Every structure is written in C-alpha cells, then in structure tokens.
Amino acid sequence: MRRLADRYTIDLQVELTVDGQRQWVALQDLSRTGMFLQVSRAIPIGTKVHVAISIGDGKRVVTGATVTHLLAPEDALRLGRYPGIGIAFREP
C-alpha cells in the first residue's frame, strides 16, 4: 500500500479515548493524515476514537480519528515492532 504522506518516528505519549474510556498510549509514528499507536488491547477497524497531544505551553491538540488497521502481537513480533493500531484523522 502506498503512503499518502511522509511518516515521522516520534516517542511521545498520546491520550487516546475509545468509547468514553481514556488511556495513555505511546505514539510510534505520525504523518499529516494519521498515526500509529502502541496499544495493549485490539481495537476493531472502523472504531471512532479521539486523540489528544500536548504540544507545549500547556496547549493540546485534540482530533477525531478512525482505526484503519491493526498490527497483532504475533505480526508485530515478526516485524520487530510493537502491537498497535493505525488511525486516520477525520475531517474536522
């Protein structure tokens, strides 16, 4: 699959809200269209989520997103990555 935008590896904690439940997860990489998040439990593809990132000076960026793919633990191990989800940002 061809990428729509360049990805940047970033080590940052992100607040992820799924079905009203908040959790802090590790951001693995970021692009202008989405991000990959390390999560401990699978979140089904198509699930609507919200993410919040603190960007300094006490400011937060919050946006909606949709889960577009899932990297299962066994696949992540084979690829040398962490399990997680890919999300695509939704239009505001």
Side-chain angles (χ1 to χ4, degrees):
M1 179 171 153
R2 191 163 192 262
R3 300 271 182 227
L4 299 176
D6 291 336
R7 289 180 171 227
Y8 302 94
T9 302
I10 298 176
D11 183 19
L12 185 67
Q13 291 290 305
V14 173
E15 184 181 312
L16 174 67
T17 304
V18 181
D19 297 327
Q21 300 293 316
R22 259 189 320 192
Q23 58 183 305
W24 289 93
V25 298
L27 170 61
Q28 297 290 298
D29 62 52
L30 174 69
S31 76
R32 67 177 174 77
T33 59
M35 59 178 64
F36 186 83
L37 302 172
Q38 181 182 338
V39 296
S40 58
R41 65 175 178 84
I43 299 170
I45 293 172
T47 301
K48 306 291 188 210
V49 301
H50 284 90
V51 291
I53 302 173
S54 296
I55 57 171
D57 294 336
K59 296 178 184 174
R60 287 171 28 114
V61 175
V62 180
T63 190
T66 303
V67 177
T68 57
H69 71 273
L70 173 67
L71 184 59
E74 57 276 1
D75 295 328
L77 182 63
R78 192 173 55 240
L79 295 170
R81 296 192 63 184
Y82 291 102
I85 57 170
I87 62 172
F89 300 132
R90 295 193 310 255
E91 294 294 322

